[in-house]
Amino acid sequence: MEILSFLKPKKNKRQISENDFAANQGKNLRLATESLVSLRDAGVEEEHELKIDYFYYSDSLEKAQKLEKEIQNMDYIVNYKPASHDKNLFVISGRTPEIKMMHESLSKWVAEMCELGYKHDCNFDNWKIVS
């Protein structure tokens, strides 16, 4: 009976749609290219290895914990906490080991991080290269 449909458990709705994922990945791949151009201008060459700070957002504690666990398995520094600007969100952040600053390696890393976020329904929000 449809009248009692409110008693059925609700299916978990995804936070990140396939279109959101594609747009986010495209944006981050462009950012990777722009970042490498800036690094070259600053004298950083392809053989240089730098760490990257990264940030995800999640709308559930369970998703944040699952993403954290998978990132830990990659030997990255990672933790999660409630977002300061919205207590309904969680921030998952950390730092990578050193990565070569080549177009191929940085683009591959960006694609993997976007896919990992999509897999766990978390938004790969931002990243920055650090020394």
Side-chain angles (χ1 to χ4, degrees):
M1 254 189 152
E2 289 301 314
I3 296 172
L4 299 177
S5 64
F6 69 91
L7 295 174
K8 291 181 185 175
K10 293 184 179 179
K11 291 182 181 176
N12 289 341
K13 186 177 181 212
R14 286 192 59 88
Q15 173 187 348
I16 311 299
S17 72
E18 200 170 325
N19 287 341
D20 292 339
F21 162 71
N24 190 41
Q25 189 168 42
K27 176 191 83 159
N28 280 292
L29 288 170
R30 284 188 299 280
L31 179 60
T33 301
E34 293 167 8
S35 296
L36 288 173
V37 168
S38 296
L39 287 173
R40 297 297 175 264
D41 291 345
V44 175
E45 299 298 329
E46 287 187 347
E47 66 272 2
H48 287 112
E49 294 183 349
L50 300 173
K51 296 178 181 184
I52 303 173
D53 287 344
Y54 59 87
F55 308 89
Y56 289 89
Y57 280 103
S58 175
D59 64 349
S60 99
L61 176 60
E62 182 181 347
K63 293 175 193 175
Q65 290 171 330
K66 286 181 179 180
L67 178 60
E68 179 193 45
K69 184 172 177 72
E70 187 156 348
I71 292 174
Q72 282 173 340
N73 291 338
M74 298 165 59
D75 291 326
Y76 287 14
I77 295 170
V78 62
N79 61 59
Y80 68 88
K81 63 182 180 183
S84 58
H85 69 283
D86 185 340
K87 298 301 179 196
N88 295 317
L89 294 177
F90 295 87
V91 177
I92 303 94
S93 62
R95 182 171 281 183
T96 68
E98 292 182 336
I99 295 174
K100 284 196 178 210
M101 292 295 109
M102 301 172 50
H103 179 73
E104 295 81 12
S105 57
L106 190 56
S107 295
K108 179 181 178 210
W109 178 81
V110 164
E112 288 172 354
M113 295 300 275
C114 288
E115 290 166 10
L116 188 60
Y118 184 68
K119 173 183 173 185
H120 291 282
D121 195 27
C122 297
N123 184 35
F124 182 52
D125 185 63
N126 202 350
W127 56 274
K128 66 179 179 179
I129 299 169
V130 294
S131 51

